[in-house]
Amino acid sequence: MNRRTFIEKSAKASSLSLISLSELQQSVNHKINDQNLKKNKFDVIVLGVGSMGSSTCYQLAKRGYKVLGLEQFNLPHDKGSHSGQSRIIRKAYFEHPNYVPLLEKAYKNWDILQNESGHKIYHKTGLLYFGKSSSDLLNSVQSSSELYGIPLKKVKNTEISSKYKQFNIPDNFKSLFEPDAGFLTPERAILTHVELALKKGASIHLNEKVIDWSQKDGIIEVKTEKEKYFSKKIIITTGAWSKEIVPNLKPRIVTTQQLISWVIPKKWDDFTLGKFPCWTIEDEESKGLFYGFPILESGQFGAPIGLKIAHHYPGKEVNPNKAERDIDKNDEEILTTFLKKFIPNGYSKNHVMKTCLYSNSPDSDFIIDFLDVNKNIIVGSGFSGHGFKFSSVIGEILSDLAINGNTLLPIDFLRLDRFES
Ligand SMILES: Cc1cc2nc3c(=O)[nH]c(=O)nc-3n(C[C@H](O)[C@H](O)[C@H](O)COP(=O)(O)OP(=O)(O)OC[C@H]3O[C@@H](n4cnc5c(N)ncnc54)[C@H](O)[C@@H]3O)c2cc1C
């Protein structure tokens, strides 16, 4: 990189702000309260303004469409799938290389969102992957990286003891580092999408639950607890509640409750942002995958302060309206035992435990498709615990489907008819 480009990049990076999450929330709420609530006819209505819905409202408003976003709770909230300060973003996708082109576009869209809003949402910390040499997961990370030329570095054991000394990794483990990976801040991202959508003319109604919708003669009626609205198209992004709004999805989606834990480490300073990367560890002795983040300031990022660790595997099945939000002592024990084994100075005591919901599809791949032959009803669901990083591009895709009836982005592998054979 030449000197001029470097200076321009640094200036751009430093011009992004990290105003406190509560300030951003207040400013967005003011704009929401200033809206004219009398309109009831729209080009597109988006049901559910969470991760995917907020991005969709922004994309549609940006393209000049009259869009209404309906959200049952305040924003952001901790009853769905997007709460908890941080979400990992990575590109050498082990789930399937088909996702990589979508991720390339997602990264670009996050960058555009940051530049348009001035808010910092993506933090490049790099991501360490650890697992046995035979680990399918690590091998899949490598194949995606080779297939698409994604930067990925093998990390030597000597480097772990010098550069990443927080980790206690067995000698028979392989270690990889993806430098462009990092984390996104979900609450800030959703508020930012909503802030810009409002600025571009979208209507966003909070605390207004959709109870029904129906289609007649090419017009769709959406009924909420308060009102009726009409549009030519609807986009359903109701996350863990998708089965309620789209009964056909009932057999396809399993909602599970997942645990996130913030602990107090023995050596706080070794784990703060800038000193500690994001990480994932696959250990054959425990099912699923463990992952974590550096310690983040609570004012800027919201939610609790501490070292965050989570476990990616399908948890206990729950009804989103009755999700227990209690902490299973066994799950808590699994997390802390894991942490003590692989990141010994990362644990001195538990701090805060929270739950969050996954909407799992049968194959853990997303569901993005039309629900009717007229292509008026579109659904984005089944994000199976790995969707947030894509939300910036999912909004674009769902908007393409509503406006053009198709998208140039490669989503055939996410169509609903894959479950029919
Ligand atoms: C613990 C945990 C960790 C995760 N970690 C990662 C990660 O590191 N990286 C990553 O990429 N992804 C991660 N994910 C997954 C990611 O957060 C989800 O895939 C994503 O948030 C799903 O977005 P969504 O829009 O479908 O759901 P949500 O963001 O929950 O949005 C759905 C919205 O619809 C609203 N709604 C529902 N029904 C109605 C109704 N009837 N009327 C009006 N509004 C309604 C809800 O209130 C909600 O706001 C994680 C998820 C969890 C739970």
Side-chain angles (χ1 to χ4, degrees):
M1 192 186 310
N2 68 35
R3 193 176 139 73
R4 192 187 159 92
T5 325
F6 175 76
I7 291 170
E8 279 165 4
K9 278 212 158 187
S10 312
K12 197 173 96 179
S14 61
S15 69
L16 296 174
S17 88
L18 263 173
I19 61 163
S20 81
L21 194 64
S22 59
E23 271 179 280
L24 179 59
Q25 191 173 10
Q26 270 174 20
S27 139
V28 171
N29 274 332
H30 274 305
K31 288 180 187 121
I32 287 177
N33 291 337
D34 283 349
Q35 291 177 103
N36 167 8
L37 295 179
K38 295 219 171 82
K39 287 187 273 181
N40 73 349
K41 290 196 184 78
F42 297 87
D43 297 323
V44 187
I45 301 179
V46 177
L47 280 53
V49 189
S51 320
M52 310 303 165
S54 61
S55 159
T56 309
C57 290
Y58 157 73
Q59 287 283 345
L60 285 165
K62 193 171 168 175
R63 297 185 207 181
Y65 288 85
K66 264 179 77 184
V67 54
L68 167 67
L70 293 168
E71 168 56 45
Q72 64 180 342
F73 300 126
N74 248 320
L75 279 181
H77 63 84
D78 63 2
K79 299 179 186 72
S81 304
H82 59 249
S83 62
Q85 283 188 326
S86 48
R87 292 287 185 269
I88 284 185
I89 178 163
R90 54 192 160 84
K91 225 188 266 181
Y93 224 55
F94 58 78
E95 287 85 345
H96 203 290
N98 277 348
Y99 283 101
V100 178
L102 301 181
L103 283 162
E104 304 271 13
K105 196 68 205 303
Y107 266 82
K108 282 192 190 131
N109 286 359
W110 288 120
D111 204 30
I112 293 171
L113 186 73
Q114 293 195 127
N115 289 332
E116 274 184 23
S117 65
H119 300 319
K120 189 162 173 61
I121 292 163
Y122 158 61
H123 296 256
K124 180 175 159 175
T125 60
L127 172 66
L128 281 165
Y129 299 87
F130 299 110
K132 281 218 171 117
S133 311
S134 56
S135 152
D136 281 346
L137 191 143
L138 266 80
N139 291 332
S140 304
V141 168
Q142 273 180 304
S143 355
S144 272
S145 143
E146 280 157 21
L147 199 59
Y148 286 99
I150 300 160
L152 188 73
K153 223 181 108 218
K154 282 194 183 138
V155 183
K156 294 190 195 108
N157 286 359
T158 49
E159 255 184 289
I160 295 171
S161 44
S162 55
K163 203 166 167 192
Y164 305 115
K165 57 183 188 311
Q166 298 93 334
F167 295 93
N168 175 32
I169 301 299
D171 289 341
N172 61 346
F173 269 44
K174 183 160 83 177
S175 316
L176 301 169
F177 183 70
E178 185 180 335
D180 293 337
F183 68 90
L184 298 159
T185 50
E187 292 88 352
R188 188 177 296 270
I190 289 173
L191 287 171
T192 302
H193 272 132
V194 168
E195 183 183 48
L196 292 188
L198 289 164
K199 210 166 166 184
K200 290 169 199 298
S203 301
I204 306 283
H205 296 188
L206 303 186
N207 300 306
E208 189 166 347
K209 184 175 170 128
V210 175
I211 49 176
D212 202 6
W213 57 269
S214 57
Q215 180 173 208
K216 200 174 164 203
D217 303 328
I219 298 292
I220 303 170
E221 178 186 298
V222 176
K223 212 193 258 181
T224 72
E225 289 165 332
K226 299 179 183 167
E227 271 299 338
K228 281 182 187 167
Y229 304 96
F230 302 90
S231 64
K232 296 170 199 136
K233 311 264 175 177
I234 59 169
I235 299 178
I236 302 171
T237 48
T238 44
W241 289 264
S242 299
K243 297 191 276 193
E244 285 182 6
I245 291 287
V246 186
N248 296 2
L249 284 181
K250 221 172 203 152
R252 309 278 183 231
I253 306 279
V254 175
T255 306
T256 58
Q257 179 172 287
Q258 309 293 137
L259 183 67
I260 325 172
S261 176
W262 285 262
V263 304
I264 305 297
K266 278 187 197 143
K267 292 191 176 173
W268 185 271
D269 286 348
D270 285 355
F271 297 97
T272 50
L273 180 59
K275 293 191 188 152
F276 188 60
C278 290
W279 57 270
T280 70
I281 302 178
E282 190 188 44
D283 178 28
E284 279 170 6
E285 284 168 30
S286 332
K287 53 185 176 166
L289 176 75
F290 293 82
Y291 61 98
F293 303 80
I295 294 172
L296 310 177
E297 286 290 327
S298 64
Q300 289 169 347
F301 296 95
I305 191 161
L307 185 65
K308 179 178 164 188
I309 170 170
H311 188 188
H312 180 61
Y313 81 109
K316 184 169 68 171
E317 189 171 348
V318 289
N319 171 343
N321 296 315
K322 298 190 186 130
E324 289 151 25
R325 318 287 160 165
D326 61 348
I327 307 302
D328 184 325
K329 283 283 158 203
N330 189 37
D331 284 350
E332 184 182 333
E333 183 64 27
I334 291 172
L335 278 181
T336 47
T337 307
F338 189 88
L339 198 53
K340 283 181 220 162
K341 178 172 168 190
F342 288 98
I343 310 181
N345 284 331
Y347 183 82
S348 72
K349 60 175 180 182
N350 291 341
H351 181 44
V352 177
M353 307 260 170
K354 284 188 169 262
T355 58
C356 189
L357 302 176
Y358 279 5
S359 305
N360 303 285
S361 77
D363 55 8
S364 297
D365 286 322
F366 313 155
I367 295 174
I368 299 181
D369 214 339
F370 300 102
L371 290 178
D372 64 331
V373 284
N374 299 325
K375 299 189 169 182
N376 291 335
I377 300 151
I378 298 130
V379 69
S381 182
F383 291 99
S384 306
H386 63 114
F388 195 86
K389 62 184 85 57
F390 295 87
S391 54
S392 63
V393 69
I394 299 293
E396 177 177 344
I397 291 168
L398 294 171
S399 304
D400 287 348
L401 296 181
I403 296 163
N404 307 322
N406 58 43
T407 179
L408 295 177
L409 286 153
I411 57 153
D412 280 348
F413 71 112
L414 304 174
R415 300 278 187 193
L416 254 172
D417 61 8
R418 71 184 189 271
F419 301 121
E420 274 156 27
S421 52

